[in-house]
Amino acid sequence: MKRTHPLFLSVADVAALVRQQGLADTLAGLVHCLDDDFRRWPEFDKCPRVASHSPTGVIELMPIADARLHSFKFVNGHPGNVRLGLPTVMAFGALAEVNTGLPLLISELTLSTALRTAATSVLAARALARPDSRVMALIGNGAQSEFQALAFHHLMGIHTLRLYDVDPSATQRLVHHLERAAGPGLRVQVCASAAEAMQGADIVTTATADKRLATIVHAHMLAPGMHLNAIGGDCPGKTELAPQVLQAAQVFVEFEPQTRVEGDLQQMPPDFAVVELWRVLSGQHPGREQADQITVFDSVGFALEDFSTLRYLHGRAQALGLGQPLALLPHQRDPRDLFGLL
């Protein structure tokens, strides 16, 4: 008889998975899964996420499926949650069989979203940044920052990190964690402004959380050959880059219909040209074409990334013996006799 209880992965289970494998290997495994799935982009049934907005934040549902598996993520974004002792972002998700609807996995996706966002950033940077990039500015030193910093250090060869946040305590926490996690191979420089952090940077990652039309990066801060990894602007009314920055660059996105509503791209006219990342990864578009070209990955987070993450977690958790069966479904001799459970 087919097993009907999905596997449940808690935050502790995902943390144990990362500890057993090592952070660098976990991120590398996620990049591999993401690359595989982005390359078969046309096989997926896709739609922009369904969002419920409020004055304090947003709650989103992110579904996607191929011919074999369906996944969804439930995720919020509430920048004021820190004052309540809650994370800005909290998430969980599910993976299920398409041919039966049977849930295979129920997993936390709060920690995993940070991992997959960093892995997606690296996936894009490998295709869009200059191969000799070694210095990264990290503007916004909140919950995503350690993951971004270590992913680029381990998988992209970044050896110098230039940090800025409006909250100095966030930067101090990040420095402390990086000293322990990265060791002497990563040089960390604390800067007094976003403009100072960008000086000499090959890659600029913006990861701010404030839900407003902000301008963190202006065109005068750009230098030839820069790659901008913009991950903070991810809902209507929330931006990080000045329109002139986008005009000066070739802009790449995950899923254009979603990014035009949620990303920095929301500031641009409907005919402003962008390229979906899957076209670069599948060889349909060259990506970066010149060493002095400025590129922008206007990343808002797309359901395919969570599909890849859930698929990866399911396989690795089974291999490592992590997680517990979750009694989510009824156990019946006769599947038609639901009332008999009472």
Side-chain angles (χ1 to χ4, degrees), residues 3-208:
R3 182 178 64 83
T4 58
H5 291 324
L7 183 68
F8 171 66
L9 293 180
S10 66
V11 174
D13 292 323
V14 174
L17 186 152
V18 175
R19 284 194 296 269
Q20 288 188 39
Q21 297 187 148
L23 178 62
D25 286 348
T26 300
L27 288 166
L30 282 168
V31 171
H32 180 75
C33 268
L34 287 161
D35 189 40
D36 282 349
D37 289 338
F38 266 100
R39 287 175 185 271
R40 58 189 189 94
W41 181 268
E43 298 178 20
F44 287 90
D45 181 12
K46 302 173 288 292
C47 67
R49 56 188 158 204
V50 180
S52 298
H53 294 278
S54 70
T56 58
V58 62
I59 295 174
E60 300 165 333
L61 186 66
M62 302 170 64
I64 193 168
D66 64 7
R68 191 174 68 89
L69 295 170
H70 174 99
S71 78
F72 72 82
K73 180 168 81 171
F74 175 99
V75 61
N76 79 302
H78 289 76
N81 272 4
V82 174
R83 295 191 298 271
L84 304 174
L86 294 171
T88 299
V89 176
M90 297 173 282
F92 66 91
L95 188 70
E97 293 180 345
V98 165
N99 64 345
T100 65
L102 179 69
L104 301 174
L105 176 69
I106 307 292
S107 179
E108 81 80 36
L109 285 178
T110 307
L111 175 58
S112 300
T113 291
L115 291 164
R116 72 84 155 134
T117 302
T120 303
S121 297
V122 166
L123 179 67
R126 284 180 172 175
L128 304 176
R130 298 193 328 271
D132 62 348
S133 296
R134 296 295 177 266
V135 179
M136 184 169 84
L138 183 47
I139 300 168
N141 301 159
Q144 298 280 334
S145 58
E146 288 91 349
F147 300 90
Q148 291 285 326
L150 292 167
F152 276 86
H153 173 55
H154 289 307
L155 304 182
M156 284 287 293
I158 292 296
H159 61 55
T160 300
L161 200 62
R162 297 175 60 78
L163 309 179
Y164 173 70
D165 194 290
V166 293
D167 178 4
S169 67
T171 303
Q172 291 170 5
R173 187 210 71 246
L174 175 58
V175 171
H176 173 70
H177 284 165
L178 292 178
E179 286 175 349
R180 296 176 58 194
L186 181 63
R187 183 184 180 198
V188 178
Q189 301 170 334
V190 177
C191 301
S193 67
E196 181 185 338
M198 288 179 60
Q199 292 174 13
D202 304 306
I203 296 172
V204 176
T205 292
T206 54
T208 60

Side-chain angles (χ1 to χ4, degrees), residues 194 208 212-219 221 238-245 264 267:
T208 60
R212 63 190 175 95
L213 289 167
T215 306
I216 309 300
V217 177
H218 296 268
M221 301 178 184
K238 184 170 183 276
T239 61
E240 296 181 308
L241 310 181
Q244 294 78 12
V245 171
D264 283 281
Q267 304 172 90

